[in-house]
Amino acid sequence: MCARVELRARRSAVQLARRGRVANLTLRMKFNPFAVFPVAADMPVSDPGTTNLWEVLVSGGVVMYPIAALSVLALMLIFFYLITLRRGAVVSARYMQTADAMIKKKDYSALLAVSGRHSEAIAGVMEKALHFLENHSGATAIEAREIAEAEGIRLAGLWNQRISYLADIGTIAPMLGLFGTVLGMIKSFSVVASDIVASRPMMLAGGVAEALVTTAAGLFIGIPAMAAYAFFRGRVQGMISDLEASSTILMAQLGTGQTEPKKY
């Protein structure tokens, strides 16, 4: 009888000890879960707030390199066009006054020399026309006007060709971003098809990040490039209009003076 009572007491003590251990474990997990699993506590915990811009760009993969090159090229072209493509480079009031005075004096040789010293587009047009008249003694004002029109068309085509590079960048950059998106999605689906279950989440996230970053980068470069192209296209159209107006005025005055002998 005493043995049975002693056995029951031992069983009760074991059950109480087990319950105490479980309660203690639950309490420790509630306040400090890493104390129960020391291996997990030693693992580095990623902080999403520490991701910087460079890490985001690097996550885009190899496609980010040509996109970065296009961004640098677009900035260089924009600064170059801001300096060179301006209406002051087409015509100036000083040259128009000088040309008007020399045409009235019929001093075309002096006008040719002055046109060679000026850098305005209208000076180049007049220089071509005056060179033609000087080298062809029997040429008429209509033929000189055609030479001036041909030079004006050449300059207009040159200006339009220059700004078309920005349109090309605005088209190529989003296409490169789309190419990076395709590469990222291929990487993600290849991870889904693999058998390595433990590394699937991280590798899948890397492929999706590459797809999204390259798309955003391509649009980030393409949209400002197209906006700059639209801006400079309007400026070029204004430059062409100024060149046409000024050349028409000077060639009309030159045609009027062709009725009298030229001073070469």
Side-chain angles (χ1 to χ4, degrees), residues 21-37:
R21 290 177 181 177
V22 172
N24 188 20
L25 181 62
T26 304
L27 186 63
R28 292 170 64 187
M29 291 181 64
K30 180 177 180 180
F31 292 98
N32 190 8
F34 297 109
V36 182
F37 303 102

Side-chain angles (χ1 to χ4, degrees), residues 163-197:
I163 63 172
S164 65
Y165 296 140
L166 286 176
D168 296 336
I169 293 175
T171 304
I172 295 173
M175 297 300 291
L176 285 174
L178 180 60
F179 179 64
T181 302
V182 173
L183 292 180
M185 296 307 296
I186 290 175
K187 183 183 297 184
S188 299
F189 282 111
S190 63
V191 170
V192 173
S194 65
D195 296 331
I196 307 175
V197 180

Side-chain angles (χ1 to χ4, degrees), residues 91-114:
V91 60
S92 63
R94 180 181 178 183
Y95 176 80
M96 292 297 292
Q97 293 174 358
T98 303
D100 180 68
M102 291 183 177
I103 290 175
K104 289 179 179 179
K105 294 178 181 179
K106 308 294 187 300
D107 193 359
Y108 301 137
S109 59
L111 179 58
L112 179 61
V114 170

Side-chain angles (χ1 to χ4, degrees), residues 91 95-101 103 108 111 115 122-123 125-126 145 243-257:
V91 60
Y95 176 80
M96 292 297 292
Q97 293 174 358
T98 303
D100 180 68
I103 290 175
Y108 301 137
L111 179 58
S115 299
I122 183 60
V125 171
M126 291 301 298
R145 186 178 294 110
L243 182 60
E244 290 179 350
S246 58
S247 61
T248 300
I249 292 173
L250 293 181
M251 293 308 299
Q253 294 177 351
L254 186 63
T256 303

Side-chain angles (χ1 to χ4, degrees), residues 1-10:
M1 188 70 181
C2 293
R4 291 181 179 180
V5 172
E6 185 178 357
L7 181 60
R8 289 179 180 177
R10 289 180 179 179

